[in-house]
Amino acid sequence: MPPACLNFSLMRFSLSQANPTMASGSNSLMWFRKGIRLHDNPALEYAARGSDFVYPVFVIDPHYMDPDPNAFSPGSKLAGLNRIRFLLESLVDLDFNLKKIGSRLLVLKGEPSEVLSRCLNEWRISKLCFEFDTEPYYQALDKKVKNHASAAGVEIYSPVSHTIFNPLDIIQKNGGKPPLSYQSFIKLAGKPSWASSHISDEITWLPPVGSVGNCMISEVPSMKELGYEDKEEDERTPFKGGESEALKRLRESISNNEWVANFEKPKGDPSSFLKPATTVLSPYLKFGCLSSRYFYQCIQDVQRDVKKHTSPPVSLLGQLLWREFFYTVAFGTPNFDQMKDNKICKQIPWKYDDELLVAWRDAKTGFPWIDAIMVQLQKWGWMHHLARHCVACFLTRGDLLVHWEMGRDVFERLLIDSDWSINNANWMWLSCSSFFYQYNRIYSPISFGKKYDPKGNYIRHFLPMLKDMPDEYIYEPWTAPRNVQVKAKCIIGKDYPKPVVDHKSASKECKQLFHEAYELNKRLNGKVNEEGLKDLRRKFEEVEREQEPKSKKLKQKLIG
Ligand code: FAD
């Protein structure tokens, strides 16, 4: 019996039998990567214009999609199962919508630049159209593809449509550097260039697909065909991929004018999981199942109809502008995804502590609020923005002092909305490495969640072993007397872990370290080298050693 991933290649078939017409006139290839939608898709519209045949293509890139048995969770090297499934659902929906207008999606597998080279040749393509992508992986790949296409005399059309603004325009307006504050970004950005025209919300016609000749194409594969053992239905994220779902969700969100007009972040309950306090449109924006420009236009339409509404940075429109801001800074900052050689990132002597990382990642910190959020990440691949704040702060500058890049990697893999620019930016923000520097403001892993959800319903849902813990102990179960733990059928240290740190002393140490590290960054104008970081770490370990007996005693007192 061949493995499931082999079944996928065996089931490939050639469309030439289905459609014997050999392409001869003007043929276009529309390469879908993100931008998995028909509405507001300028690359697709351009591909259709004046073409006899349009080939809508998606390439299954082994770099992203091949199973990786060594990863810490089931999935590929880069993505967990929830996000891979979300992508496949989005492709199935795209194929369905293309078929409604007389076309279909052609799925191919392989290294994209090689696959495309073959297709351009085989299908005698004269126009290659794909959405511009700012991510380093795509920048490098697109360069290869463009070189090949240009050498073959193929016209390339690669418009900016993943974002509302063109990050390059903003950077140029700012003298070649990205703006580093939200306010300066807003000032530079002004109104989008397309604001006076109407964004199309549907495409009703496409030229047919021509013959595919010898190129081996397939239907959208299933998880199994890609070689994945999928999770049980009730273990999967409740959010389903695809443009149809995105537009439905968008309509539901914006149909409530009052809700849109009064939207104010960071107000909103991070523990509200049955009815999330925000739109949950991020995974659809990530894959481009929803156009950010269409979303922007819809919000503007609502705002025009109401007397009063909130404004950026807290409004719903303001949230979309955060996305724009981070895309711009990410695009204009070399080494944006690391601390080293990243000009906008403070140099901090972080720990590379695998044990602490794994406790955090696997929801075993012993702080129910933190662990419940991490379970929501594993199960749903989505959490409220403030919940993300809490766990990111806890791992880095709040308690554990673990490197933000290690936490970033966990989010990058497990989030269904995992986005290179936004994720890196927010990790730098939360770890006080860039954008935000008030390291004394720490989220308490105990009292923060309690404000929103004093009975701990969110914790009880995601950590069922704590479901019978009385309300007064649900955020600090290690303080529950033994008889209470027995009655709740949850012995701390056995059924649920003891806390990995004493929050009070850990956060004090973090602030101390940050004070020293910021001073050093200031003194050396950000040019802190490896030696400087090592010195700081040594100094800090001495402080830790001095405080150890004190904090151990305190911890023993707390956890009994
Ligand atoms: P809404 O509040 O409904 O906002 C609408 C849209 O605005 C979002 O879908 C998103 O595209 C954008 N947006 C909202 N907040 C932000 C923000 N802070 N930064 C940039 N764009 C924003 N978001 C991602 O999309 N992908 C990520 O990989 C990601 N990683 C994060 C990591 C950390 C540590 C933190 C603190 C936040 C991260 N965010 C990320 C930002 C934010 O938490 C999510 O965009 C938001 O919670 C998504 O929910 P929503 O669609 O309901 O947002």
Side-chain angles (χ1 to χ4, degrees), residues 260-277:
V260 174
N262 295 326
F263 187 98
E264 195 174 347
K265 230 164 147 187
K267 285 188 187 157
D269 180 355
S271 67
S272 174
F273 62 98
L274 291 175
K275 194 176 181 304

Side-chain angles (χ1 to χ4, degrees), residues 26 54 77 113 120 171 217 238 272 281 303 318 345 445 461 486 519 524 527 535 557 560:
S26 164
V54 170
K77 190 174 103 195
S113 68
L120 292 180
I171 291 169
I217 59 125
S272 174
L281 284 169
Q303 291 189 347
C345 186
H461 178 83
V486 171
E519 283 294 308
L524 300 177
K527 295 194 179 74
D535 277 352
K557 204 172 118 204

Side-chain angles (χ1 to χ4, degrees), residues 265 278-282 285 382 385 388 417 419 422-423:
K265 230 164 147 187
T278 53
T279 62
V280 195
L281 284 169
S282 50
L285 288 165
W382 184 91
H385 184 56
R388 300 181 196 210
D417 62 24
D419 179 298
I422 307 179
N423 196 32

Side-chain angles (χ1 to χ4, degrees), residues 11 40 42 48 60 65 86 108 136 167 170 181 212 235 250 279 288 360 368 388 406 422 475 486 510 523 528 548:
M11 65 160 250
D40 184 34
I60 303 271
M65 297 288 253
F86 193 95
L108 296 106
I170 310 267
S181 77
V212 294
E235 288 290 302
L250 172 71
T279 62
W360 174 82
R388 300 181 196 210
M406 296 173 92
I422 307 179
Y475 284 86
V486 171
C510 288
R523 217 167 40 246
V528 183
E548 206 165 284

Side-chain angles (χ1 to χ4, degrees), residues 129-167:
C129 307
F130 56 91
E131 185 175 65
F132 181 76
D133 199 306
T134 52
E135 278 185 34
Y137 177 73
Y138 283 103
Q139 286 282 306
L141 174 62
D142 293 356
K143 203 168 155 194
K144 262 201 277 180
V145 171
K146 280 182 183 168
N147 282 345
H148 177 87
S150 304
V154 174
E155 179 194 349
I156 297 156
Y157 184 65
S158 184
V160 173
S161 52
H162 189 61
T163 46
I164 296 164
F165 297 94
N166 182 345

Side-chain angles (χ1 to χ4, degrees), residues 178-228:
L180 291 180
S181 77
Y182 182 84
Q183 289 310 338
S184 56
F185 168 83
I186 299 279
K187 252 194 224 151
L188 282 163
K191 274 213 156 85
S193 55
W194 47 266
S196 50
S197 51
H198 189 75
I199 293 283
S200 73
D201 62 354
E202 61 174 351
I203 184 164
T204 50
W205 176 85
L206 267 189
V209 178
S211 163
V212 294
N214 288 324
C215 289
M216 300 303 275
I217 59 125
S218 78
E219 299 287 338
V220 177
S222 64
M223 293 289 278
K224 204 166 167 207
E225 284 160 352
L226 283 177
Y228 295 108

Side-chain angles (χ1 to χ4, degrees), residues 30 43 58 83 114 158 162 201 222-223 247 257 265 339 348 369 380 421 434-435 437 440 496 541 550:
M30 169 64 203
F58 185 87
R83 193 158 81 253
E114 283 168 21
S158 184
H162 189 61
D201 62 354
S222 64
M223 293 289 278
L247 292 174
N257 282 13
K265 230 164 147 187
M339 177 176 86
I348 309 289
W369 172 243
W380 288 27
S421 308
S434 195
F435 305 111
Y437 304 105
N440 280 314
Y496 181 72
E541 275 163 2
K550 213 166 70 192

